[in-house]
Amino acid sequence: MARIAGAIRGFMAKHAPSPEDVQNSRWLKPFGHRIRRSDLWRFTRRSVPRGVAVGLFVGIFLMVPGLQIVGAALFCMPFRANVAIAAAMTFLSNPATTPFFLVAAVNVGSRMGFKADLTTLQALASTHASVWRWMAWLVSDAAPAMVAGLAVIGGVFAFAGYWVSLVGWRWWVAHKWGQRRAIAREGAQVQEIS
């Protein structure tokens, strides 16, 4: 377990932006005094699950790589979520996962009643259509279905991520307290023996 925690810390240190990076972002300068609040940067039992939820929702719903971290940081302010966790969670949607999210979003949106012609999607994929034909299809009939589908998928991932991280956080804290109690018991036994 210690190896996993170390790997997570290493990933966060390498990929998550520092408070200074976020505060010096040209997009977040207008929100500088608000984004500098210390409660947005602490790792607490409330802020971490909120950060996971915000990061997952923004990362899936907002598929523009440069704006995901900025959007997550802005959404963290009203929810008092951890900005670093939210920024790291936006990396769930990356170039490898984006096509899956987009196809699933169009499928979910079309099941919700929005008209998205999936046969056209299959035809575009099989004929290796140009980027312009893909964009025309997205703008014409797939956009409402895709936006609705991304909102639903992002909401489901955010809900699941919130509860998984909340349970994981509580388990981790209970595990740490158990280790402390075991060390205290061992120390008490050593003192009794001496």
Side-chain angles (χ1 to χ4, degrees):
M1 188 64 194
R3 214 177 316 153
I4 294 172
I8 291 172
R9 267 188 244 114
F11 177 83
M12 290 293 295
K14 185 176 180 183
H15 296 290
S18 68
E20 293 79 25
D21 292 340
V22 174
Q23 292 164 4
N24 293 331
S25 167
R26 67 179 178 163
W27 298 101
L28 295 175
K29 284 267 189 209
F31 307 98
H33 65 283
R34 291 186 186 126
I35 202 77
R36 287 187 180 102
R37 290 188 352 220
S38 64
D39 61 329
L40 297 177
W41 297 96
R42 288 190 197 131
F43 293 92
T44 65
R45 67 184 170 106
R46 289 187 179 99
S47 70
V48 168
R50 289 176 187 166
V52 169
V54 166
L56 287 174
F57 181 78
V58 171
I60 292 171
F61 184 73
L62 187 62
M63 287 285 186
V64 182
L67 296 177
Q68 288 175 327
I69 293 175
V70 173
L74 291 176
F75 269 93
C76 283
M77 288 188 290
F79 294 110
R80 295 187 333 236
N82 187 290
V83 175
I85 294 289
M89 295 311 293
T90 61
F91 290 111
L92 176 71
S93 65
N94 55 53
T97 60
T98 298
F100 298 110
F101 282 129
L102 292 178
V103 169
V106 169
N107 194 6
V108 168
S110 65
R111 290 176 189 247
M112 291 174 57
F114 294 100
K115 300 294 182 207
D117 188 14
L118 295 178
T119 58
T120 307
L121 172 69
Q122 293 170 345
L124 288 171
S126 65
T127 60
H128 304 292
S130 68
V131 173
W132 295 111
R133 286 187 55 204
W134 278 101
M135 290 306 226
W137 176 75
L138 281 175
V139 172
S140 64
D141 61 349
M146 186 174 64
V147 168
L150 285 173
V152 168
I153 292 170
V156 167
F157 269 76
F159 182 78
Y162 177 85
W163 287 105
V164 166
S165 62
L166 184 68
V167 168
W169 183 273
R170 290 180 186 227
W171 176 84
W172 182 67
V173 168
H175 178 72
K176 288 291 185 184
W177 277 105
Q179 286 180 335
R180 288 179 186 171
R181 281 190 220 111
I183 291 171
R185 272 187 255 127
E186 288 175 10
Q189 289 174 354
V190 168
Q191 285 180 354
E192 287 176 8
I193 294 173
S194 334

